[in-house]
Amino acid sequence: MPQTITITNKDILQQVKLSYKIPEIVEQIISRKVIRTAAEEAGIKIDTEELQKTADLFRLINKLTSAEETWEWLEKYGLSLDDFEEIVYNSILISKLSQHLFIDKIEPYFFEHQLDYAGVVMYEVVLDDEDLALELFYAIKEGEMSFYDVGHKYIQDTELRRSGGYKGMVFRNSLKPEISAAVFTAKPPELIKPILTSKGVHLILVEEIIQSQLNDKLYQEISSHLFSEWLKQQIAKIEVIKHWNDLS
């Protein structure tokens, strides 16, 4: 006969404490309250149609294609239907508040930081040995090996190895300064001399330099960044009154 274990709200709370999650959860609570207050002050409203559309999209993204699957998902995460509606409501609120706060600031921010959003399509192999990196660099230059051959032989990560070290398009601001400087002065397609960083020796093939454009994806990225920075500033101003010293 299978063993049964009873789990109570007290058990869950105790596990949250033992997992060192209290500060993280407190910050999430503060964030939610800050967003609600700011949205109220801005006069932001959400109608039933918006809630329904966002709820449908949420279910689609989470592959909840039937009422039964939705109820099973709610049960799995210990959520009620009201909780689900609040999750949807909060996601809309964040989107509308972000739009309200930054609709006129995203384009100026993009032009101010345009260089940071330039992209590069590149392949990369990171090695431990600088002499080996130089040897492989010259072997590729001389046509003795291809970059794909090097990646397939020396990359440990399975998926990256299968793609020969292909990194896709990488934004300038996500690269280490020493790598960025070399990559964005390259003349594609160009194999760059090995670059030494704290992570190892980088052998990089620059396939294409892509000038930044404010497309929908980048617009959303900048919006999220500005909202995140704004939220951090608001949280920093908050004085938290603790009433959870005894959570037992």
Side-chain angles (χ1 to χ4, degrees):
M1 184 175 180
Q3 182 184 7
T4 59
I5 297 176
T6 301
I7 298 176
T8 66
N9 288 341
K10 185 176 180 180
D11 292 326
I12 292 173
L13 181 56
Q14 181 67 5
Q15 187 58 43
V16 168
K17 290 162 62 180
L18 297 177
S19 301
Y20 311 108
K21 295 292 186 182
I22 294 294
E24 179 184 333
I25 291 172
V26 167
E27 184 170 324
Q28 291 170 355
I29 292 169
I30 296 169
S31 297
R32 192 175 73 246
K33 290 179 179 291
V34 165
I35 290 166
R36 285 288 180 111
T37 300
E40 287 174 9
E41 291 174 352
I44 292 173
K45 305 292 183 183
I46 298 173
D47 59 37
T48 305
E49 186 178 350
E50 287 177 297
L51 280 170
Q52 187 61 55
K53 284 183 178 179
T54 306
D56 291 343
L57 179 61
F58 183 95
R59 283 191 287 267
L60 182 64
I61 291 171
N62 288 278
K63 300 179 180 178
L64 306 176
T65 57
S66 67
E68 183 180 355
E69 287 175 337
T70 301
W71 283 114
E72 287 175 357
W73 185 88
L74 291 172
E75 185 177 357
K76 176 182 177 180
Y77 292 102
L79 299 168
S80 66
L81 188 57
D82 287 342
D83 295 328
F84 176 72
E85 289 179 355
E86 186 172 357
I87 290 169
V88 173
Y89 183 90
N90 287 338
S91 70
I92 301 172
L93 209 59
I94 290 170
S95 177
K96 297 186 81 166
L97 179 60
S98 180
Q99 184 79 351
H100 171 78
L101 293 171
F102 303 114
I103 189 170
D104 297 326
K105 296 181 174 64
I106 293 173
E107 192 169 311
Y109 182 92
F110 166 72
F111 286 113
E112 185 180 346
H113 299 85
Q114 194 166 6
L115 287 177
D116 292 336
Y117 293 105
V120 57
V121 178
M122 57 182 263
Y123 294 76
E124 180 183 50
V125 178
V126 183
L127 302 156
D128 296 327
D129 188 325
E130 191 170 4
D131 291 336
L132 174 61
L134 276 169
E135 181 184 329
L136 294 171
F137 169 77
Y138 287 114
I140 296 170
K141 293 284 281 186
E142 295 298 323
E144 298 170 7
M145 298 181 74
S146 70
F147 197 96
Y148 180 87
D149 293 335
V150 172
H152 196 265
K153 184 174 181 179
Y154 291 98
I155 293 174
Q156 300 300 315
D157 179 85
T158 302
E159 290 303 316
L160 195 57
R161 183 173 68 247
R162 286 172 180 165
S163 66
Y166 181 66
K167 303 286 287 187
M169 193 188 84
V170 183
F171 283 128
R172 184 176 195 142
N173 60 3
S174 67
L175 293 171
K176 287 180 173 291
E178 57 268 45
I179 292 178
S180 174
V183 162
F184 284 94
T185 53
K187 296 180 179 178
E190 182 179 348
L191 180 67
I192 299 173
K193 268 198 169 184
I195 302 167
L196 181 64
T197 74
S198 58
K199 287 190 174 181
V201 189
H202 302 251
L203 194 58
I204 296 172
L205 173 63
V206 178
E207 184 175 271
E208 185 181 0
I209 301 292
I210 300 174
Q211 298 305 317
S212 54
Q213 292 182 337
L214 188 56
N215 53 26
D216 290 343
K217 182 179 178 181
L218 186 52
Y219 184 97
Q220 291 301 324
E221 182 179 322
I222 293 173
S223 178
S224 295
H225 170 72
L226 293 175
F227 186 82
S228 178
E229 291 301 307
W230 170 83
L231 190 55
K232 286 178 186 175
Q233 292 171 7
Q234 302 309 305
I235 291 173
K237 301 174 186 176
I238 300 293
E239 179 184 356
V240 179
I241 300 173
K242 298 181 179 180
H243 284 293
W244 68 79
N245 289 329
D246 183 9
L247 292 175
S248 57

